[in-house]
Amino acid sequence: MRASLILLFAVLSLPASAETSSGTLDFSRDIRPILAENCFSCHGFDDAKRKAGLRLDTAEGAYKLGSGGLAAITPRKPERSGLIQRITTNGPLIMPPANSGKHLTPKQIKILQTWVAQGGVYKKHWAYVKPIRPSIPKIHAKSWPRNGLDYFVLSNLESHGLKPSPPADRYTLIRRASLDLTGLPPTVEEADTFVHNKSANAYEKVVDRLLASPHYGERQARHWLDLARYADSNGYTIDGKRSIWPWR
């Protein structure tokens, strides 16, 4: 249901630590950012800038044996991995090079070592990975959830020793939904209609109506325009005119 999607981004969150609850590092979340910041400029996808014929942004490149018979990454063998040897050594062979302006912290080195020891597994970008529906977590207050997403919300609350807040009154519910989705408060007529609608899917109908409103598109576009630095002038340095009006 489209109404349930409102809670999606609030529910799906990553753990704060570099490891999952099972202790397994994730390439996309934990490893790729380190390599992208410190290694890809010389050992990434750009053929023209790649050095030593080493490519670290793909598993094929990282696992490939070099001229000395040593691969940058030998799964489960950090001591036999050229990458680990070069980031833990001292002197002119250290990577990233001293003159590169880049530097790995001890924590980042430890993460890379642990990742290789765990298998050095590469993963595709999340956009190319088919989503897998997670299993419903176990909870104590089994009478509280109304849909599948509620189980994840409640599971997180219970893990912190918290309980859900009491249900909001219906005037508050429609005001929250309207402000969140359109940036505008509901009209008096809209609020009264919802409050007096006792059907089981009354709230879902409100959300569907708001999502279909042009004001929903305007609210979403505003955030995007802010990120794109939308303005009719540069706004800084040389305040020259820019032809941004077509965006409107």
Side-chain angles (χ1 to χ4, degrees):
M1 299 182 206
R2 288 193 294 172
S4 298
L5 293 178
I6 297 176
L7 295 175
L8 182 59
F9 295 108
V11 174
L12 300 179
S13 60
L14 293 172
S17 66
E19 299 186 16
T20 64
S21 57
S22 63
T24 302
L25 290 165
D26 179 82
F27 175 77
S28 297
R29 185 192 65 233
D30 306 314
I31 306 304
R32 187 179 181 89
I34 298 176
L35 297 180
E37 173 66 22
N38 298 282
C39 308
F40 285 177
S41 58
C42 296
H43 304 294
F45 55 84
D46 193 335
D47 294 337
K49 295 183 179 180
R50 191 176 304 137
K51 297 182 179 180
L54 173 60
R55 185 170 183 176
L56 293 175
D57 63 316
T58 65
E60 294 78 10
Y63 299 161
K64 181 180 179 181
L65 292 178
S67 56
L70 188 68
I73 295 176
T74 302
R76 302 193 182 282
K77 295 182 179 180
E79 73 284 356
R80 290 288 301 161
S81 299
L83 171 68
I84 302 303
Q85 292 182 7
R86 295 295 291 271
I87 65 175
T88 56
T89 189
N90 292 312
L93 295 179
I94 191 172
M95 289 291 168
N99 60 1
S100 67
K102 301 180 183 299
H103 174 72
L104 289 173
T105 66
K107 181 178 179 180
Q108 289 173 325
I109 292 174
K110 179 63 177 177
I111 290 173
L112 292 173
Q113 289 175 317
T114 303
W115 172 63
V116 174
Q118 291 177 350
V121 178
Y122 276 73
K123 289 185 179 180
K124 294 181 180 179
H125 188 279
W126 63 264
Y128 300 102
V129 178
K130 183 179 179 179
I132 299 176
R133 183 181 293 275
S135 58
I136 298 297
K138 295 181 179 180
I139 57 172
H140 297 293
K142 297 182 179 180
S143 62
W144 184 80
R146 297 183 181 181
N147 55 53
L149 289 176
D150 286 348
Y151 283 84
F152 292 89
V153 174
L154 184 58
S155 175
N156 190 280
L157 289 174
E158 290 182 345
S159 69
H160 291 84
L162 302 175
K163 295 182 179 180
S165 299
D169 64 83
R170 294 177 74 82
Y171 280 112
T172 300
L173 283 177
I174 189 172
R175 180 177 174 81
R176 288 175 179 173
S178 186
L179 288 173
D180 283 345
L181 294 178
T182 68
L184 300 170
T187 65
V188 174
E189 293 76 13
E190 291 170 343
D192 287 340
T193 298
F194 171 67
V195 168
H196 295 101
N197 185 348
K198 303 304 181 181
S199 62
N201 62 345
Y203 183 73
E204 185 178 60
K205 288 183 177 180
V206 168
V207 173
D208 286 342
R209 174 179 61 78
L210 294 172
L211 290 175
S213 168
H215 299 308
Y216 170 72
E218 293 165 357
R219 180 162 175 77
Q220 297 303 311
R222 185 184 66 78
H223 296 301
W224 177 73
L225 291 171
D226 286 344
L227 293 173
R229 285 181 161 173
Y230 170 84
D232 285 321
S233 68
N234 291 323
Y236 60 99
T237 62
I238 300 175
D239 193 22
K241 183 179 180 181
R242 296 192 298 173
S243 297
I244 304 300
W245 62 266
W247 286 20
R248 290 177 177 153

